[in-house]
Amino acid sequence: MGRNSILEVKNLKVYYKTVFGDARVVDDVSFTVYRSEIFGIAGESGCGKSTLVEGIYRLVKPPGYIAGGEVLFEGADLLKLSENEMREIRWKKIAYIPQGAMSSLNPVLRVEEQMIDAIIDHSDVSREEALEIARRALSELGLPEMVLRMYPHELSGGMKQRVIIATAYALHPELIIADEPVTALDVVSSREVLQTLSELRDRHGTTVILVAHDMAVHAEVDDRLAVMYAGKIIEVGKVDKVFYDPLHPYTKGLIDSIPSIAKKKMIKGIPGIAPSPLNWPPGCRFHPRCPYSKDVCRSEAPELKEVKPGHLVACHLYAGD
Amino acid sequence: MNSMLKSSVSIARALKGIIRIIGKNNKIKIGFCIFLALLIVGFASPYINRLRIGDKRPHDLGVGRRWEQPSIKFPLGTDDYGRDIFGMLLVGIMYSLSIGLLAGAIATLIAVTMGFISGYKGGFVDHTLRTFTDTLLVIPLWPIYMAIATYIPKLPLESVALLLGIFSWPGAARVIRAQVLSLKERAFVKLAKLNMLNDLEIVFLELLPNIAPYIIIGFINSVMGAIFAETGLRLIGIGPPLLPTLGYLLSITIGVGMLSVRPYVVAAVVGVLALIFISLNLINIGLEEEFNPRLKKVTGL
Amino acid sequence: MKMEGTSLLELRNVTKIFKGGGVYGGKEFRAVDEVSFSMPSEPSILALVGESGSGKTTIANMILGFLKPDGGDIFFKGESVTSWLQRKPKEYRRKVQAVFQDPYEIYNPSYRVDRILKLTVRKFNLAASEAETMRLIYEALEALELRPQDVLGRYPHQLSGGERQRLMLARILLIKPELIVADEPVSMLDVSLRAVFLNYLEEFKSKYGISCLYITHDFNTAYYIADKAVVLNLGRVVEIGSMEEIVLRPLHPYTQMLISSIPLPDPKMRWKERLELRKLQVKEIRPEKGCPFALRCPHATKKCEEVKPPLIDVGGGHMVACHLYG
């Protein structure tokens, strides 16, 4: 494990068995996450980002299966751990907030009940101790204690999501994986939640993997960002480098298509449609939509290579330069 | 009316779709085959019996001698009035299925009408119809059947079916109403309104094709319910004595004591009843399997 | 009766109250509270911006005639919508159409997508023959860069979200209304598809003169295509102004909070301060009297909790409903 890295994913493959063959939803993905950073995974629907983090957390269920690769955390390969060993990791070392977690709050139980239940499920404390842990988690996140006695429907969307984050943070995991935490929230709540995640990093040194399709969200909080397309990571780098010096044509197209109140410019989309996992195009998967595609792009898939310091891209435009 | 033409076109297309579904799903295939076989047997029963016992009806007294042992002519023997059990079994299939299908059709028709009007109109109309439906739902049916059967002993088949049908629709009506209520708010209904479709067109062209699965399953449930109800009633002696349904057959064979003396006779009747229910249930389960993943395909990608 | 120079769309003190809980009455809920704004007769795009619960969808439903206002009225070209729908509904539907948010839900899953296009042509008498129907459909599809052979004959679930939403625009092009009510049309599309869709809305305005009421919670897209914005909070209008004014010089504290919370896709321009609100928002409470934002406003006074601030013009067509400026 390299300098200060907390998680290293190597050649991870998550496939789904279908009647038409294997859908290669996550297809040979490698990246490193460093301690106390917010690492973003961006990409549009169908690129495989949610499946990627499910694979890391060992939540892939049939017909999905892990077809290969390693996920190294604190010296151990998570994919090779037994279910019991994995249970020791979950919540205590790595916490996972799935998409739509807010709507899975039980409407007939008070918040404290649900937090206590979650804490007890993953540790050996008593109910009183769990309540203390819950209180501490809420205060660490700057949430008022009165939230404990409330029911989910009495809370705003942003508040519910922050309660979820507090529950995830309760046992002080070193790494929190959040899948689309702000997609369903309005702009003010979204800001609250994202600032909460930033504070976890700033004040407590927690590492966060943030999966989101909204590039603006990544621009606001990420330290480093990986862009996924068609089951593969096509660019990784520091967030300002990715935004100001996007190397991959897809990243460029993505950034060019974001409207912003900061500047009035013509935005254009990316022509064509995203391919399906049952039918990945040969060679570079983006070549049918790429304005710069050459012959080699149709036949050979480009490797993810470090082209500038800390900035990796998988594109033939940078091969050999 | 143009919309009637359009809806018959969509019904035809739906039928084509149905035939396709039947072929796709094994449960439906098996269930349908068994049921079809039963239908054919029931339909052909008068002719089969004519070949077997000539012009007499199997439930006439003295078709054969009393308490005959099973033989080639009387595969299930006769009872203590000389009635041909096997013949009655064949004919019973026809009568029971007829009652079931007819009652099911009546119940479904009423349920669909009530459910649609209630769900689509909403407001006061919905409130009134719902109160009426719920009241009917709570009324205990068996005492009513018993009362009617006692005072009007000679009911023809259609009347029995009607009776069963007009008391059993409330359950299905509630389901259909719920479906209509939820579909009514969907965006494609709003779009239909923006496209100048009137209420009738929306009901037949937009809503009906999407609710059809529930209506079909509801219909099959009603059929099963009616056969079950009629059989149960006959077993305790309620019902017109001249209708030789399977329930009637069951009641006389058990009543005469065949359970202990010739249990295979009772087993045969129960077996046929079981076949009816198994086949219909298979169709229903298969349909639900088919319709639910298909609905999922709509909301997901 | 139409008057010269009348606005295309005008809402005057429109109110809509929903009663919760059963036929025998229940709690009242003011979804829309005395909302007024207008769109000019020249083709324009107006952004109606608000979060969920602001009443924006209810306003859309009232403009489309699915709901009737309980107070005030909505006028299209000088005539009330209710009157349009009573006397000449077909003409109204010809002139006012909609695009909805969910590209999956707008299609009836039991039919192929051709049906909606053919139905539109037929119901609005846009063509005299089958051949002309198909010609119009092909033209509309091609104008939206959809290949007829890729799209016709398919069921909705066989097309992608972007294709479905563009097909809706093709339908609009067939009708060529004067006003499109677009309720969050891009929020369920991928980012790279949003640009395409928004560019089409802009083209519809400039090339075909079709105005658009763009309803959204996302200021970034609103800024991109709209000239003017109306900001809603809990059913009330809090601010109206040109897009530039609202974004660069928001006056109402709610608008200021919204604008400052928008994530900018620019890592060099991040939120600087922590979000400070007067009272931590636990749950949206809709107050009976006073300004609906009073509970969360950092500048709120006693007056704000008692008296609803009126919408006043502070110059240049910029209007605010806030006691700070009264």
Side-chain angles (χ1 to χ4, degrees), chain B:
Chain B
M1 228 197 322
N2 201 13
S3 62
M4 285 301 157
L5 185 67
K6 293 303 289 292
S7 73
S8 51
V9 166
S10 61
I11 290 178
R13 219 184 254 148
L15 280 173
K16 230 190 351 185
I18 289 177
I19 297 180
R20 190 174 34 96
I21 288 181
I22 292 182
K24 242 202 312 177
N25 185 305
N26 280 329
K27 294 196 180 71
I28 302 181
K29 237 194 278 195
I30 298 176
F32 188 72
C33 288
I34 300 179
F35 192 70
L36 197 62
L38 288 167
L39 269 178
I40 295 176
V41 168
F43 198 69
S45 62
Y47 307 104
I48 301 179
N49 279 340
R50 185 164 304 154
L51 289 173
R52 288 178 50 245
I53 55 174
D55 276 328
K56 305 218 190 89
R57 299 178 307 174
H59 49 280
D60 282 339
L61 307 176
V63 174
R65 288 168 314 170
R66 301 168 67 198
W67 282 108
E68 278 208 37
Q69 286 286 352
S71 59
I72 309 264
K73 183 163 189 210
F74 296 117
L76 287 176
T78 63
D79 70 346
D80 64 334
Y81 286 109
R83 290 182 285 206
D84 167 22
I85 309 264
F86 185 70
M88 287 179 73
L89 189 63
L90 292 183
V91 166
I93 295 178
M94 178 174 79
Y95 277 91
S96 287
L97 286 183
S98 306
I99 289 187
L101 289 169
L102 198 57
I106 294 174
T108 305
L109 211 60
I110 302 180
V112 168
T113 312
M114 294 292 275
F116 264 88
I117 297 179
S118 206
Y120 194 71
K121 278 290 165 192
F124 186 66
V125 172
D126 176 31
H127 191 73
T128 324
L129 288 179
R130 230 185 337 141
T131 315
F132 176 58
T133 309
D134 290 346
T135 313
L136 263 184
L137 203 56
V138 191
I139 294 180
L141 299 176
W142 290 55
I144 295 186
Y145 289 146
M146 291 193 214
I148 296 182
T150 315
Y151 285 103
I152 316 176
K154 279 196 169 51
L155 281 175
L157 179 139
E158 299 78 27
S159 305
V160 173
L162 189 67
L163 215 59
L164 290 171
I166 60 177
F167 281 110
S168 66
W169 58 264
R174 290 182 68 144
V175 171
I176 292 176
R177 172 183 171 275
Q179 284 303 307
V180 172
L181 275 181
S182 82
L183 277 182
K184 190 170 69 151
E185 301 305 320
R186 298 267 289 264
F188 63 82
V189 173
K190 274 201 192 144
L191 198 63
K193 291 197 183 145
L194 288 177
N195 253 356
M196 297 297 313
L197 263 71
N198 61 42
D199 281 346
L200 221 61
E201 288 172 306
I202 292 181
V203 162
F204 278 100
L205 299 177
E206 301 288 339
L207 299 179
L208 201 56
N210 287 308
I211 301 188
Y214 296 93
I215 299 179
I216 297 176
I217 292 180
F219 169 69
I220 295 181
N221 277 331
S222 297
V223 170
M224 283 198 284
I227 297 179
F228 193 67
E230 194 272 340
T231 307
L233 285 172
R234 298 307 291 275
L235 210 51
I236 59 171
I238 310 292
L242 291 178
L243 271 183
T245 62
L246 291 174
Y248 179 61
L249 183 56
L250 205 56
S251 73
I252 57 174
T253 49
I254 293 185
V256 144
M258 293 224 190
L259 251 179
S260 26
V261 179
R262 293 184 194 166
Y264 48 84
V265 171
V266 177
V269 182
V270 170
V272 168
L273 277 168
L275 265 183
I276 297 180
F277 288 121
I278 290 174
S279 63
L280 286 176
N281 260 313
L282 274 177
I283 297 179
N284 246 5
I285 295 175
L287 280 177
E288 263 182 73
E289 266 179 14
E290 285 304 310
F291 290 137
N292 274 327
R294 207 178 65 166
L295 290 171
K296 246 187 248 158
K297 227 189 282 173
V298 168
T299 53
L301 192 79

Side-chain angles (χ1 to χ4, degrees), chain C residues 23-176:
Chain C
V23 190
Y24 304 114
K27 281 187 66 142
E28 258 189 20
F29 168 71
R30 286 192 159 237
V32 179
D33 193 2
E34 291 181 4
V35 166
S36 305
F37 64 85
S38 68
M39 292 179 73
S41 44
E42 305 82 42
S44 70
I45 301 185
L46 173 70
L48 189 61
V49 186
E51 303 169 312
S52 53
S54 59
K56 52 195 201 313
T57 301
T58 313
I59 292 178
N61 283 330
M62 286 194 283
I63 297 175
L64 293 172
F66 297 135
L67 291 173
K68 280 214 186 76
D70 291 318
D73 212 351
I74 303 180
F75 298 90
F76 180 72
K77 297 181 105 161
E79 198 179 326
S80 116
V81 170
T82 323
S83 161
W84 275 97
L85 287 172
Q86 261 169 5
R87 304 195 304 122
K88 24 191 183 158
K90 199 154 172 180
E91 260 190 72
Y92 187 68
R93 296 274 178 239
R94 185 75 206 271
K95 294 181 195 286
V96 178
Q97 278 291 329
V99 175
F100 297 111
Q101 174 179 27
D102 189 332
Y104 306 95
E105 284 284 301
I106 38 183
Y107 294 89
N108 188 329
S110 310
Y111 297 107
R112 294 175 214 268
V113 299
D114 318 18
R115 176 179 174 261
I116 194 79
L117 297 173
K118 292 195 186 148
L119 205 59
T120 303
V121 171
R122 200 161 49 84
K123 284 288 178 180
F124 287 104
N125 296 325
L126 300 171
S129 66
E130 174 78 22
E132 201 184 331
T133 305
M134 292 316 293
R135 186 179 65 80
L136 285 175
I137 292 180
Y138 269 63
E139 258 173 32
L141 289 176
E142 270 148 26
L144 281 140
E145 292 168 291
L146 283 168
R147 298 205 313 181
Q149 56 265 49
D150 286 344
V151 159
L152 294 177
R154 301 268 171 128
Y155 281 96
H157 66 263
Q158 293 172 302
L159 298 177
S160 73
E163 287 172 321
R164 284 183 244 202
Q165 204 66 321
R166 262 193 282 174
L167 204 70
M168 277 298 124
L169 284 183
R171 177 185 166 271
I172 300 270
L173 211 53
L174 283 173
I175 301 175
K176 292 208 181 57

Side-chain angles (χ1 to χ4, degrees), chain A residues 295-316:
Chain A
D295 280 333
V296 62
C297 305
R298 272 184 276 276
S299 50
E300 232 180 274
E303 295 270 317
L304 188 64
K305 287 205 300 253
E306 186 163 0
V307 157
K308 297 187 185 178
H311 197 161
L312 293 80
V313 68
C315 180
H316 288 302

Side-chain angles (χ1 to χ4, degrees), chain A residues 44-45 142-144 146-147 150 153-156 159 162 186-192 194-195 199 201 203 213-223 239-240 243-244 254 257-270 272-273 289, chain C residues 51-52 160 162-163 166 187 189-196 198-199 217-226 243-244 247-248 254 257-277 280-284 296:
Chain A
E44 297 173 303
S45 49
L143 300 175
M146 65 186 214
V147 161
M150 299 179 82
H153 66 262
E154 296 178 296
L155 301 176
S156 68
M159 207 37 126
R162 292 165 77 191
D186 61 79
V187 118
V188 179
S189 301
S190 164
R191 179 175 170 185
E192 284 175 1
L194 291 173
Q195 287 190 310
E199 274 164 21
R201 171 201 52 193
R203 290 208 207 137
H213 69 272
D214 187 348
M215 292 297 276
V217 160
H218 290 294
E220 285 288 349
V221 295
D222 288 356
D223 295 305
V239 69
D240 45 347
F243 269 87
Y244 285 114
L254 208 55
S257 60
I258 309 173
S260 159
I261 59 173
K263 31 181 178 227
K264 190 119 189 170
K265 62 171 169 54
M266 185 68 184
I267 57 174
K268 10 180 242 239
I270 303 178
I273 14 172
R289 306 168 73 186
Chain C
E51 303 169 312
S52 53
S160 73
E163 287 172 321
R166 262 193 282 174
S187 54
L189 293 181
D190 275 332
V191 175
S192 58
L193 297 173
R194 289 183 195 185
V196 176
L198 294 175
N199 287 335
H217 66 275
D218 176 17
F219 256 109
N220 280 326
T221 49
Y223 181 71
Y224 183 65
I225 56 165
M243 210 62 220
E244 292 289 329
V247 165
L248 297 176
Y254 174 68
M257 184 181 79
L258 271 190
I259 301 281
S260 67
S261 301
I262 297 172
L264 294 176
D266 187 339
K268 293 213 169 75
M269 298 171 71
R270 289 188 167 179
W271 298 311
K272 298 271 186 320
E273 345 57 42
R274 279 201 83 232
L275 189 63
E276 290 301 343
L277 293 168
L280 202 59
Q281 182 200 1
V282 177
K283 173 73 172 171
E284 282 287 7
R296 294 160 63 194

